[in-house]
Amino acid sequence: MERILVIGGARALGAAVARRAAKDGYDVVVGARGLAAAETVAAELGATALRIDLQDESTIAAAAARLADGVDHVVTTGSAPHDVRAAELDHEKLVGAFTAKVLGPMLVAKHFAPLLRPHGSMVLFSGVVGWRPGPGSLVKGTTNGAVAHLARHLAADLAPVRVNAVSPGVVDSGAWDRLGAGKAALLGRSAAGTLVGRHGEPDDVVDAVMWLLRAGFVSGETIHVEGGARHKVG
Ligand SMILES: NC(=O)c1ccc[n+]([C@@H]2O[C@H](COP(=O)([O-])OP(=O)(O)OC[C@H]3O[C@@H](n4cnc5c(N)ncnc54)[C@H](OP(=O)(O)O)[C@@H]3O)[C@@H](O)[C@H]2O)c1
């Protein structure tokens, strides 16, 4: 049975990946910065729960020590948005955003490189805003763009272990519930901005992640799961 660690696995897309992986017969490890939340999902799946905070290297090192007998795949969904314009940038939040998406996954690679089995892979999470600049999306856009480069460079570094990224469009993952009544408007706008005329569902993204785990001839790529949003004119 292949072992998969899902960082950010306690909710939204991370939990959706963990659930599908359990259903597909993987030995699932749910990593999250809140151990209680990780344990709740892990209990549901018969999985293992670990506390992993991408902002705290010691938790990444401890998780690697717990999984020292080997890991086949690591998926990392971490994100710490800092959606402001340039004049309002906060240094600490800026570093936090880069750490969740870029620096943290690099440190995951550092600690898990010796444990990842040669046929295994890492899947990183980017996002469509990396290719759609706009006021207020400076940080999110740059970090998501950096993830695509990280996948390429990490793939070369960790080879033959494969490294790829998934770049979702707007997905009704639960992350937008915080908008309350505003969520429907966001989903509607995003649907209008795609070629397929709808917003994304978690299964759209999970399907891509699960394919990447098995796609043995694909490495260093970013798979765009956003209904053609980058190609829509106007
Ligand atoms: N949903 C969308 O529309 C959409 C669109 C484009 C890209 N994406 C990307 O897809 C990924 C998943 O998004 P989502 O929709 O599932 O919702 P999300 O709210 O963006 O999920 C973020 C995940 O990151 C985890 N996280 C944040 N900081 C962390 C840290 N320091 N250490 C470990 N985990 C940390 C969160 O866990 P906690 O439970 O601890 O907060 C949560 O599981 C993100 O990278 C996001 O940018 C999503």
Side-chain angles (χ1 to χ4, degrees):
M1 184 185 274
E2 292 194 353
R3 179 186 272 168
I4 181 169
L5 166 63
V6 185
I7 299 173
R11 69 179 172 89
L13 292 177
V17 170
R19 288 194 175 97
R20 177 79 71 83
K23 188 164 165 269
D24 288 358
Y26 288 85
D27 169 18
V28 176
V29 181
V30 178
R33 54 188 168 168
L35 183 58
E39 283 172 341
T40 301
V41 175
E44 176 200 324
L45 304 179
T48 304
L50 292 178
R51 178 168 176 270
I52 301 180
D53 183 345
L54 292 164
Q55 313 273 355
D56 179 352
E57 185 178 357
S58 71
T59 66
I60 300 170
R66 281 279 306 276
L67 303 174
D69 52 333
V71 177
D72 297 286
H73 304 282
V74 178
V75 177
T76 173
T77 69
S79 164
H82 182 35
D83 295 335
V84 297
R85 299 193 67 166
E88 284 108 44
L89 285 171
D90 174 280
H91 182 262
E92 200 173 318
K93 289 181 179 163
L94 187 53
V95 173
F98 274 86
T99 303
K101 281 263 172 184
V102 183
L103 307 181
M106 279 193 194
L107 294 171
V108 170
K110 167 184 166 181
H111 291 282
F112 281 82
L115 309 183
L116 276 160
R117 298 180 179 124
H119 67 275
S121 75
M122 284 185 72
V123 179
L124 314 175
F125 265 72
S126 178
V128 68
V129 73
W131 289 264
R132 301 283 294 262
S137 57
L138 171 65
V139 178
K140 201 179 262 176
T142 306
T143 55
N144 281 316
V147 170
H149 282 277
L150 177 57
R152 294 178 63 190
H153 289 276
L154 208 45
D157 196 288
L158 296 187
V161 170
R162 297 174 298 106
V163 182
N164 294 292
V166 169
S167 178
V170 172
V171 175
D172 188 9
S173 65
W176 302 112
D177 293 356
R178 64 187 152 78
L179 298 180
K183 179 175 114 168
L186 171 79
L187 295 181
R189 272 198 312 279
S190 85
T194 69
L195 294 177
V196 299
R198 68 171 177 87
H199 66 261
E201 295 293 349
D203 273 348
D204 294 316
V205 178
V206 176
D207 286 347
V209 172
M210 301 315 288
W211 175 75
L212 282 171
L213 302 184
R214 303 257 63 84
F217 208 47
V218 179
S219 194
E221 296 298 329
T222 295
I223 306 300
H224 298 275
V225 185
E226 33 79 305
R230 288 166 306 126
H231 311 301
K232 173 104 188 218
V233 178

